[in-house]
Amino acid sequence: MNRFCTSLSVLLLAAAPLVAQTLPALTTFPVGTATVTVSALTTGLTVPWELVWGPDNFIWMTERGGRISRVNPTTGAVTPLITLADVSTSSEGGLLGMALHPDFVTSPFVYVVYNYTDAGGTYLEKLVRLTYANGTLSAPLVLLGNIPATSTHSGSRLLILPDRTLLMSTGDAQLLPQAQNPASLNGKILRLNLDGSVPANNPISGSLTYTLGHRNPQGLALGPGNRIYSSEHGANSDDELNLIEPGRNYGWPTVEGYCDQTTELAFCTQNNVREPLTAWTPTLAVAGLAYYTSPAIPGWQNRLLLVSLKAARLTDLALNATGDAISTRTDYLTGFGRLRAICVSPQGRVYVATSNRDGRGSPAATDDRILVLENRDFVVTATTAPAAARLRLWPNPARQTLTLERPALAADAVSISDALGRRVRTARFAAGQSQLTLSIEDLKPGVYLVQSGGRTQRLVVAE
């Protein structure tokens, strides 16, 4: 491992502690048998657009005006990394989605999408890769540019899949027919390799188009079985929650919501249209989306969490066993105004960003804020758990195999998650079993979290 990677590994291992300080409670609400406490981690922000839980156990944040920062989840301190000078804000446009390379220790790349104005005065959108080093972001590399844009309907979220490809959602930019044009980059979910090239196995050979027929998708999340979910703004009706399947058509502008109108039925049959899992009329202005797996709030476990702007609430979407239907929808977290971004820590805390200073809200004196939603009665780390319940693992760093040890308790699941919170390995302790050895030789070098029964340990996979 080179000197830079070694220093970065030290930074990640010495990052924020896993136990947050106790912040003043703003409100509480029940989720099943758990009580969720809401507090303000950070205040005085300006339209935070994306929150990503980073490999350093910090929150990485974009703000629409062009600033990218790291936010300490213990103190709320904001450390700016860069302000992109060529970001152009116009109504909904500006600095939007962000994703971090899953092998951040060896590939310290940050991907962002934003609006800009070219030399001729044309408003456009581009995907840019930045490099993190010495506490700053630099060396911008344009991976995809010259995407038509307007002040509304730009999208755009980013999501890196387990196969190391990147999804990027784009809005129709008010060019409605282009959503059905496979050659256009508007109204799509695009799929790229992490160097910006076209994956050989995309649905259309030589094309970045992964799915088409989108109006303005503003949420992307990876769920059970690596299923992909997206939230999408409707026009006057039918905000959508979609299951994203390669090569499928999502109907816009001919179809709004379900294929339930006479004019829509024939189009849906002829064009391989995938109906939404659920839809909302009146619209909510759906935004950020996350999949919750932690036992910290059991009532949300294995559910999608969706935040919305106009409706100003968080919605819990219960999935069926196969992940292809929504069984219930439950609303929470009203009273804080417009909600745009959401991320979940490996310890099960939920972080939500308000968007009340975006020109359409009524900001409070402390807006915009990052709110923390947590079950304070849940023990989340090995360091705070009773000694009898602790989880040990060795060697650490590891390369070929990893041994886990715990007291001989009841049967319990084990999961290993990468820097983006995605499960890369699962196993299970049998009842009464105290040691378990796993092969990890296929895991790439980096920092991972090992979790079992509410206990968490950090693992370094070495080169």
Side-chain angles (χ1 to χ4, degrees):
M1 184 179 290
N2 62 38
R3 181 179 301 173
F4 170 74
C5 291
T6 301
S7 64
L8 184 58
S9 297
V10 171
L11 169 66
L12 299 185
L13 288 171
L18 295 177
V19 181
Q21 64 182 6
T22 301
L23 300 166
L26 301 175
T27 189
T28 62
F29 58 85
V31 177
T33 59
T35 297
V36 173
T37 299
V38 182
S39 55
L41 174 69
T42 302
T43 61
L45 304 173
T46 304
V47 194
W49 215 97
E50 183 71 279
L51 301 177
V52 174
W53 188 266
D56 52 358
N57 281 322
F58 273 61
I59 300 166
W60 292 57
M61 172 183 68
T62 67
E63 291 171 273
R64 194 172 65 182
R67 186 172 74 158
I68 305 173
S69 306
R70 293 167 64 242
V71 181
N72 188 314
T74 302
T75 67
V78 177
T79 303
L81 302 176
I82 192 173
T83 297
L84 297 166
D86 60 335
V87 168
S88 292
T89 57
S90 177
S91 185
E92 295 175 7
L95 175 58
L96 308 175
M98 173 173 60
L100 276 61
H101 197 291
D103 308 312
F104 201 77
V105 171
T106 54
S107 301
F109 301 132
V110 176
Y111 299 82
V112 291
V113 58
Y114 60 90
N115 296 109
Y116 67 104
T117 303
D118 71 5
T122 303
Y123 199 59
L124 300 165
E125 186 170 85
K126 62 183 173 181
L127 171 68
V128 175
R129 191 190 79 185
L130 302 161
T131 300
Y132 179 73
N134 301 317
T136 62
L137 289 169
S138 61
L141 175 66
V142 178
L143 300 181
L144 182 64
N146 298 313
I147 302 171
T150 62
S151 60
T152 59
H153 296 201
S154 289
S156 169
R157 296 285 176 180
L158 301 176
L159 177 66
I160 297 178
L161 302 179
D163 65 0
R164 269 50 179 185
T165 60
L166 173 69
L167 296 185
M168 172 182 171
S169 69
T170 64
D172 65 11
Q174 302 287 2
L175 305 169
L176 276 62
Q178 296 306 309
Q180 288 294 323
N181 178 5
S184 168
L185 297 178
N186 291 105
K188 306 292 186 299
I189 292 179
L190 309 174
R191 179 170 176 256
L192 307 85
N193 291 317
L194 293 180
D195 62 2
S197 61
V198 180
N201 60 347
N202 266 6
I204 303 172
S205 179
S207 170
L208 293 174
T209 296
Y210 193 66
T211 60
L212 74 165
H214 298 283
R215 182 176 181 268
N216 192 20
Q218 290 208 4
L220 279 175
L222 197 66
N226 292 330
R227 293 178 184 86
I228 302 160
Y229 300 91
S230 175
S231 58
E232 180 168 337
H233 286 218
N236 299 313
S237 65
D238 294 293
D239 274 3
E240 299 178 355
L241 190 284
N242 287 305
L243 175 61
I244 299 302
E245 297 174 341
R248 298 300 294 270
N249 190 324
Y250 289 79
W252 179 257
T254 304
V255 181
E256 297 185 59
Y258 305 105
C259 299
D260 55 4
Q261 303 296 318
T262 302
T263 55
E264 297 174 340
L265 292 172
F267 182 90
C268 290
T269 300
Q270 295 167 8
N271 293 275
N272 193 29
V273 170
R274 180 62 161 95
E275 290 187 292
L277 299 187
T278 193
W280 292 266
T281 301
T283 57
L284 312 184
V286 293
L289 187 65
Y291 181 60
Y292 192 87
T293 62
S294 174
I297 305 174
W300 283 348
Q301 196 168 18
N302 301 318
R303 299 188 179 199
L304 292 167
L305 299 179
L306 170 73
V307 292
S308 53
L309 296 160
K310 183 173 68 174
R313 63 198 190 205
L314 180 149
T315 301
D316 149 22
L317 301 166
L319 293 163
N320 67 352
T322 54
D324 59 1
I326 301 296
S327 57
T328 62
R329 308 186 318 201
T330 308
D331 295 327
Y332 304 91
L333 198 64
T334 56
F336 291 92
R338 295 165 64 81
L339 307 178
R340 185 183 298 276
I342 182 170
C343 76
V344 180
S345 78
Q347 294 76 44
R349 297 186 183 92
V350 179
Y351 297 86
V352 173
T354 70
S355 191
N356 293 317
R357 297 177 67 183
D358 64 3
R360 298 182 180 180
S362 300
T366 55
D367 280 333
D368 278 321
R369 295 177 280 181
I370 297 177
L371 305 172
V372 187
L373 285 61
E374 59 185 327
N375 177 5
R376 292 184 173 177
D377 295 327
F378 184 76
V379 177
V380 297
T381 69
T383 57
T384 60
R390 289 180 182 172
L391 176 71
R392 298 179 57 234
L393 51 94
W394 72 88
N396 192 9
R399 175 59 275 177
Q400 300 293 326
T401 61
L402 175 69
T403 297
L404 295 81
E405 183 180 69
R406 57 148 205 179
L409 303 172
D412 211 348
V414 175
S415 69
I416 302 178
S417 302
D418 67 11
L420 297 182
R422 299 175 304 199
R423 292 184 184 181
V424 296
R425 182 78 76 260
T426 59
R428 191 167 185 83
F429 279 108
Q433 182 181 9
S434 61
Q435 283 194 8
L436 183 65
T437 299
L438 305 177
S439 172
I440 59 168
E441 59 185 356
D442 62 323
L443 298 186
K444 295 193 176 184
V447 179
Y448 296 80
L449 287 179
V450 181
Q451 295 176 296
S452 181
R455 303 172 296 277
T456 302
Q457 289 282 17
R458 192 174 296 157
L459 165 70
V460 176
V461 175
E463 288 190 346

